[in-house]
Amino acid sequence: MDLALAEAWMREAICEARKAEAEGEVPVGAILLLNEKIIGRGHNSPIQNHDPTAHAEILALRQGAHYCRNYRLPGSILIVTIEPCMMCVGAMIHARVVELIFGAEDPKAGAARSRFQLADSDLLNHRLRMTSGVLEKECGSLLKSFFASRR
């Protein structure tokens, strides 16, 4: 995916992140594409849903799976504002997502590239193509301002 298109899609994910922030959740947003169409959206909502798995990525994958009527999502692209955690990368691998595009790295819990490298591990049966740093400053500032306001 070219950079201009990735940035346009990332702006959709940022809109989802702002929804999470408005609900008092950590501002992370995700969209799932298939054939250049959004088939899933999600924003963090574990507090509101009383669900530790209610990460933006998981919710977008669930919507996409319902849309496709299949737990496998070959050919899909997940776009998320921050580098996914281990749970979310694991779900992407199980769903056979073909590409992950993310904004800011997560040096504390990122499982795609920065802390752990699950997304392209030779130990697993599926690897994700990855593009990082798409609108990185904007995505990172969402999180920084959110946590700064809580201190």
Side-chain angles (χ1 to χ4, degrees), residues 4 75 87 96 109 150:
M87 173 184 68
R96 304 301 193 263
R150 299 225 175 237

Side-chain angles (χ1 to χ4, degrees), residues 17 40 46 66 75 81 100 112:
H66 284 281
T81 55
L100 166 63

Side-chain angles (χ1 to χ4, degrees), residues 25-116:
E25 301 274 1
V26 176
V28 178
I31 61 166
L32 184 67
L33 303 175
L34 185 62
N35 300 322
E36 299 183 20
K37 176 183 176 186
I38 297 175
I39 62 166
R41 293 177 175 271
H43 59 275
N44 271 13
S45 59
I47 298 166
Q48 182 176 342
N49 289 339
H50 311 288
D51 180 355
T53 69
H55 290 195
E57 303 94 323
I58 299 296
L59 298 175
L61 290 169
R62 285 179 185 157
Q63 275 189 10
H66 284 281
Y67 176 85
C68 292
R69 302 178 65 85
N70 193 344
Y71 73 106
R72 299 278 198 227
L73 300 165
S76 64
I77 299 170
L78 188 73
I79 300 174
V80 62
T81 55
I82 191 169
E83 180 181 5
C85 71
M86 286 193 287
M87 173 184 68
C88 294
V89 172
M92 286 178 244
I93 290 167
H94 284 291
R96 304 301 193 263
V97 170
V98 73
E99 185 173 2
L100 166 63
I101 298 171
F102 64 90
E105 288 189 352
D106 182 356
K108 290 183 180 179
R113 183 166 280 153
S114 60
R115 182 57 127 178
F116 304 100

